[in-house]
Structures are given as structure tokens and as C-alpha cells.
Amino acid sequence: MENIYNDLVSVVIPTYNREKVIKQCLNSILNQTYKNLEVIVVDDASIDDTEHVVKSIKDSRLRYIRLNENSHGTKPRNIGIRAATGEYIAFLDSDDTWLPNKIERQLAFMKKNDYTDVLSFTGVIVSNNSNQKTVIKRDLKEGEHIIDYIINEGWVQCGTFMCSSKIAKKTEFSPTVRKHQDWDFCYRLSKNNARFIYLEEALTVYNMDEGNNQISGNRRFDLSLKWINSIKKDISKKNYYSFLVHNVTTNMILSNNRKKALKIYVHALQNRAVSPWGFAKGILKSMLLKHMN
């Protein structure tokens, strides 16, 4: 595809202790078929050799910002958003990568749809050690709330996001959310009347290596509960309990809160968030996990 646009795209990359993988991440960006980029790495006070690795890459498009103290949250992304000078902002975690034509394909898609306050997201390739799985979902239905879409489809990932700089700077990430940060960003964007569009191509490789320190991978179900309860008023009961079933119950059981998990399954069945067969599978899972724990 010929590059017919020349808008500057800012890429925001938060990082912490990623000396072993960040070079691969940055190379996947700097080698994009679309060249008009600025790449902003915001280091959340790494204590490894991340800074040296980033600074060893000689490319005028690359900027490095280091925080004095680890923030344990969304501060690096917000600093990157504020520092961005592009017409568009894209996001990528420092252990993930993009396919070479990701920006080119997504920018063309956004230009074709021609909306100002918009977030575009794409399919994703989920990588777990030697296994990879391509995940491509449906587009949003007319009038469908983004959180209902996320809960129903089960996948919206920050490394696929590209949005107008204007709406990103207006919205930013919540400074208090510790889990489901990308989903919460979508929720905050919806409050600012953003439009969401889905490109049905897998253009980001999401690394699910269980040995890394991904915030999204932690098992604290209380953080999931805190987040979903903060937006409960804006979603249906069905989707509220569907979220709990898929994002809370397993970790509840593993944390010896089996009765609370079973209560969620009962409410989910009552609100049609699970089928009778899904309810039965939930009970079976509870029994199995209890004996494994």
C-alpha cells in the first residue's frame, strides 16, 4: 500500500524493567512501513538496564523520559500523552510488538472513517511462549456501549489502540485504576463522546508470558471488583455479572473465597449472564480449583 498520508503519529510506550524485550518492541515500531512517527518511551523508574538499551538505539524519532519514582499505574501513559505532538496517538506496551504495516493500515482505516473524536482498535495475535493465536472480533453494533462490547467480546487490548491526539489529551487514563486500565480508558473516552471503530485485522502481537510483570496479569480480584463497581451504573446487570464470572470468580476461588464466587454464579444465572450449562461448568470449576489450591 502506498503511503498517501503524512500525519505525525505519536507512539506512547510505558516501561518498567524491560531490558530484555524493549529493543524488539522498539524495532517493530521504528521499522514500520509508515515513517512519520515520534516514539515516546516513558520509563517508570526501572532498576535494570532499560535506560541504556533504549538510549543505544540511534533514531531521531525516539524520545526517552524517565520518572524518578515508580508509579505502579497509569502515570507513564499520561505523561506520554501530554508529551505527544502528533495528530494521532498509538499505544504499545514494551513487551509487545507490531506487525510492520500496523500504523499504515490503521491510519488509512481511520482516515477512511474520518471522525475527529475516535478510537480505533484492531485484532490481535496472542503469543504465549511458542504458541500463537489470532483473535479477531466483530465490530460494534449501532448504539452499543463500549463496555458492553468489551464484556461480550472479551477482548480489547491497548496495544491495538490509535486515537486522535485531541481526544486522548482531553481524556487521559485514570490515575487511580490499577487493573483493566485499557478498558477503563475506553469507558472514559465514551464519557467524552468518542466513537469506537474496529479494524478486523490482527496487527499487534500481545505477549502473555506469565513470567513478566504485567499489571493486567495480576490475580487480585479486589481490583477487578473495584473497577467494575465504579462503572456499574452504566452497564446492564447481565453484563455486570458476566464480567464477574469471567474476571473475578476464578481468582476468588484461588483466594479461598469459594462461597462468594458461587454466589456470583447464582446471580449470573438469574440475570442470564450464564446458561444453565455455563452455571454447571462454573460449579465444576469451583470444585476442581478448590482441590487444586
Side-chain angles (χ1 to χ4, degrees):
M1 178 185 293
E2 180 183 359
N3 289 329
I4 59 175
Y5 308 114
N6 198 40
D7 302 84
L8 179 63
V9 177
S10 301
V11 184
V12 173
I13 309 169
T15 191
Y16 178 70
N17 289 350
R18 289 284 198 254
E19 64 176 359
K20 295 181 179 179
V21 294
I22 193 168
K23 189 171 185 178
Q24 181 180 9
C25 168
L26 291 174
N27 284 339
S28 79
I29 300 169
L30 297 171
N31 293 324
Q32 286 286 301
T33 56
Y34 190 86
K35 301 301 182 184
N36 194 17
L37 307 171
E38 67 171 0
V39 185
I40 305 169
V41 177
V42 185
D43 190 337
D44 203 8
S46 292
I47 57 176
D48 67 355
D49 210 24
T50 294
E51 180 174 359
H52 173 76
V53 173
V54 174
K55 289 185 175 179
S56 71
I57 300 174
K58 305 305 178 184
D59 193 304
S60 61
R61 297 172 296 173
L62 180 60
R63 299 167 59 188
Y64 175 82
I65 301 171
R66 179 179 173 84
L67 305 187
N68 293 325
E69 296 181 0
N70 185 259
S71 67
H72 301 285
T74 58
K75 185 176 181 179
R77 281 198 180 101
N78 286 338
I79 288 176
I81 289 172
R82 295 167 198 165
T85 62
E87 289 85 0
Y88 296 89
I89 296 178
F91 300 92
L92 188 62
D93 288 338
S94 57
D95 57 337
D96 298 332
T97 58
W98 284 340
L99 270 60
N101 63 344
K102 193 265 188 185
I103 293 294
E104 182 179 354
R105 293 288 301 146
Q106 197 165 16
L107 182 60
F109 177 68
M110 293 184 73
K111 288 288 189 179
K112 179 181 178 181
N113 284 276
D114 194 26
Y115 303 115
T116 302
D117 295 335
V118 64
L119 181 137
S120 163
F121 55 103
T122 76
V124 67
I125 300 169
V126 181
S127 178
N128 187 355
N129 296 322
S130 60
N131 298 317
Q132 288 191 340
K133 178 182 178 182
T134 299
V135 179
I136 297 178
K137 300 292 186 177
R138 63 170 174 82
D139 199 355
L140 281 79
K141 299 174 183 176
E142 186 68 30
E144 184 177 18
H145 195 286
I146 185 60
I147 297 301
D148 287 331
Y149 173 84
I150 289 170
I151 292 172
N152 285 321
E153 292 303 308
W155 196 274
V156 171
Q157 202 271 331
C158 195
T160 74
F161 291 178
M162 184 190 294
C163 59
S164 64
S165 181
K166 176 184 175 182
I167 194 69
K169 290 177 181 291
K170 179 180 178 181
T171 305
E172 295 193 350
F173 286 76
S174 169
T176 60
V177 171
R178 295 284 303 281
K179 195 171 183 181
H180 310 295
Q181 296 172 349
D182 41 5
W183 297 2
D184 183 73
F185 184 55
C186 290
Y187 174 74
R188 290 166 64 84
L189 285 167
S190 74
K191 289 296 184 181
N192 283 329
N193 299 313
R195 184 182 179 111
F196 300 88
I197 55 176
Y198 182 59
L199 174 58
E200 295 181 6
E201 295 182 36
L203 300 170
T204 296
V205 179
Y206 173 63
N207 177 22
M208 291 191 68
D209 181 4
E210 294 182 357
N212 65 32
N213 60 3
Q214 291 170 321
I215 292 175
S216 60
N218 72 63
R219 291 188 170 184
R220 288 186 55 186
F221 69 84
D222 60 307
L223 297 178
S224 294
L225 279 173
K226 181 179 180 181
W227 177 70
I228 196 65
N229 285 331
S230 73
I231 68 166
K232 184 177 180 180
K233 65 182 185 300
D234 289 322
I235 60 176
S236 67
K237 281 189 175 182
K238 177 181 178 181
N239 285 331
Y240 173 76
Y241 284 108
S242 180
F243 174 90
L244 295 183
V245 164
H246 292 104
N247 296 278
V248 173
T249 54
T250 297
N251 290 332
M252 269 189 170
I253 296 166
L254 292 172
S255 303
N256 296 316
N257 287 273
R258 183 168 173 266
K259 289 184 178 179
K260 289 183 179 179
L262 293 176
K263 188 175 181 180
I264 288 173
Y265 269 102
V266 170
H267 286 299
L269 180 63
Q270 292 172 341
N271 286 278
R272 298 184 178 180
V274 294
S275 65
W277 172 235
F279 176 78
K281 287 197 297 183
I283 301 301
L284 179 60
K285 180 176 74 172
S286 173
M287 295 171 63
L288 292 173
L289 289 174
K290 180 184 178 183
H291 289 297
M292 292 172 59
N293 194 16

